[in-house]
Amino acid sequence: MGFLRNDEDAKDVLQDTFFNLWQAGNIESDTEARNKLFCVLRNLCIDRLRKPKNFPIPESAVDSLIVEPTSGENLGSLERNLTKGLTDVQLRIYSYIIHDGMEYEDIATILGTTVEAVRMNMSRARKKIRDNLKNLNQ
């Protein structure tokens, strides 16, 4: 209760703690059981506090959340604007990952490079896309 300040959350975390310790088993002494209990309990409380809170959406606000679908032409234009400035290699890697759903290892084989190089190029591509998006929103 000292951490969570909510009776229901405290009961849930305590139950999860006992369940985790019961599954782990192999506790040889009372001291070991007490130490593990406090450690697991503390960690579960911290996890619960870090977890984002979900709030119900009122019925009146649901209508404002409905978004009209965007046409394929608008999506293509948006993607071209976001990927503007990418190198040819970055654009190919982006296309393989986003459109084809390929893995880094497969892309590295196709391009004749290392997996690390593919990861680095995709990381740079994502950064450029974030910068382009930020510029579009200004």
Side-chain angles (χ1 to χ4, degrees), residues 4 6 9 11 18 39 48 70-72 86 110 127 137:
L4 299 177
N6 179 334
D9 284 345
K11 288 178 183 177
F18 282 119
C39 183
R48 182 68 59 116
T70 306
S71 70
L86 296 182
I110 291 171
K127 182 181 182 323
N137 288 334

Side-chain angles (χ1 to χ4, degrees), residues 27-126:
I27 296 176
E28 297 178 9
S29 69
D30 290 344
T31 304
E32 182 183 2
R34 187 181 68 239
N35 292 341
K36 285 186 177 182
L37 175 78
F38 284 118
C39 183
V40 171
L41 184 61
R42 183 200 64 204
N43 290 341
L44 287 174
C45 287
I46 291 170
D47 289 345
R48 182 68 59 116
L49 291 170
R50 287 182 180 168
K51 182 179 169 186
K53 304 289 187 239
N54 294 327
F55 297 103
I57 299 173
E59 278 297 318
S60 60
V62 171
D63 292 335
S64 66
L65 296 175
I66 298 173
V67 177
E68 294 298 319
T70 306
S71 70
E73 186 176 297
N74 289 342
L75 286 176
S77 173
L78 177 62
E79 185 177 29
R80 280 190 298 280
N81 286 331
L82 291 176
T83 57
K84 195 179 293 181
L86 296 182
T87 65
D88 291 336
V89 173
Q90 290 171 345
L91 194 55
R92 286 179 65 192
I93 291 171
Y94 168 83
S95 179
Y96 285 142
I97 291 172
I98 300 300
H99 297 292
D100 301 332
M102 294 177 68
E103 300 291 327
Y104 289 128
E105 293 81 11
D106 299 331
I107 298 169
T109 303
I110 291 171
L111 297 178
T113 187
T114 64
V115 175
E116 290 78 24
V118 173
R119 288 184 196 278
M120 179 190 62
N121 277 301
M122 188 60 188
S123 175
R124 290 178 181 167
R126 284 189 190 108

